[in-house]
Amino acid sequence: MNFQPIAANFFQQPTIELAQNLVGQYLVHQHPEGVMVVKIIETEAYMGAEDRAAHSFGNRRTKRTEVMFGEPGLVYTYQMHTHILMNVVSGPVGKPEAILLRAGEPVVGHELMQQFRGTNAMKNWTNGPGKLSKALDVSMSYYGHHWTEEPLFIAPGPGVTELEIGPRVGIQNTGEAVEYPYRFSEKGHPMVSKYR
DNA sequence: CTTCCGATCGTCT
DNA sequence: GACGATCGGAAGA
């Protein structure tokens, strides 16, 4: 299989639509030890200044959130405890919106992913945002990279048969924002994360 | 099966 | 100096 980066204008659609349309696309990492590909099966939208759960709530602009104010399609990596989380910057320039990539399904490079994840069962390799980054060996060094450029990019995928919509995960203490239906996943997929 | 807790570090106050 | 868009191991039911 040959994977090509998706067109840059893919990232110019509204954040909610982009979050939905990212489910079912491929995420490709051309690692020095070999190529790894997963199909994205779960995302969450973070709606910038208006969204209490977003890092950029109230247009908070710091070294960490700076990239969210840039052009759509940039990579926003963030460290949570011992884990790296991957985001896609969205919204027009100046609107700090982003989409968290929460889970994937291994497509290419199973041996490498198993090596980076340890000996766990395959369904536990990529069924959470920190696990996904670790399986693909993605680090903070991709902060500010663009999702259309090698060696880490989004490629057109097969899409999904049915999309499930629900509240986001792991954002308690953020008031009304806890209930917003900004989580999108492939319905019934066994590798969708189950934390809440 | 479920709940509980510690890891461990960049970022912000 | 405190906190967190998480994870996995341990302990309990």
Side-chain angles (χ1 to χ4, degrees), chain A residues 29 31 36 82-86 112-120 124-126 128-139:
Chain A
H29 190 197
H31 191 274
M36 290 175 282
T82 58
H83 306 283
I84 303 297
L85 278 61
M86 290 182 288
L112 270 177
M113 288 187 233
Q114 178 169 43
Q115 178 185 316
F116 290 125
R117 288 289 294 125
T119 55
N120 302 36
N124 293 326
W125 293 352
T126 51
K131 299 176 188 182
L132 185 60
S133 305
K134 188 168 182 190
L136 297 176
D137 196 33
V138 169
S139 73

Side-chain angles (χ1 to χ4, degrees), chain A residues 61-191:
Chain A
R61 187 165 189 158
T62 64
K63 185 165 49 176
R64 178 175 61 161
T65 62
E66 181 62 34
V67 73
M68 296 178 78
F69 291 83
E71 64 176 295
L74 289 172
V75 176
Y76 173 32
T77 47
Y78 164 75
Q79 180 164 355
M80 173 62 177
H81 293 252
T82 58
H83 306 283
I84 303 297
L85 278 61
M86 290 182 288
N87 299 257
V88 178
V89 173
S90 179
V93 174
K95 280 236 172 193
E97 302 172 353
I99 297 154
L100 171 65
L101 305 178
R102 287 197 58 88
E105 172 192 323
V107 175
V108 176
H110 292 63
E111 295 81 4
L112 270 177
M113 288 187 233
Q114 178 169 43
Q115 178 185 316
F116 290 125
R117 288 289 294 125
T119 55
N120 302 36
M122 178 167 72
K123 64 171 299 186
N124 293 326
W125 293 352
T126 51
N127 62 339
K131 299 176 188 182
L132 185 60
S133 305
K134 188 168 182 190
L136 297 176
D137 196 33
V138 169
S139 73
M140 284 297 292
S141 63
Y142 282 108
Y143 183 94
H145 177 78
H146 201 279
W147 281 114
T148 57
E149 290 174 14
E150 299 180 343
L152 181 70
F153 59 90
I154 305 289
V160 296
T161 49
E162 195 172 355
L163 193 68
E164 179 155 18
I165 302 178
R168 290 174 292 185
V169 174
I171 53 165
Q172 44 238 321
N173 305 327
T174 51
E176 293 287 307
V178 172
E179 303 302 330
Y180 295 166
Y182 290 167
R183 182 194 194 199
F184 309 102
S185 59
E186 177 169 349
K187 185 160 187 155
H189 196 290
M191 293 177 191

Side-chain angles (χ1 to χ4, degrees), chain A residues 14-47:
Chain A
T15 298
I16 296 289
E17 291 173 34
L18 179 58
Q20 296 181 0
N21 288 330
L22 277 168
V23 179
Q25 311 297 343
Y26 291 125
L27 170 51
V28 182
H29 190 197
Q30 297 165 324
H31 191 274
E33 294 183 40
V35 176
M36 290 175 282
V37 181
V38 300
K39 188 178 84 171
I40 298 167
I41 59 169
E42 183 180 359
T43 64
E44 281 180 3
Y46 285 85
M47 297 302 289

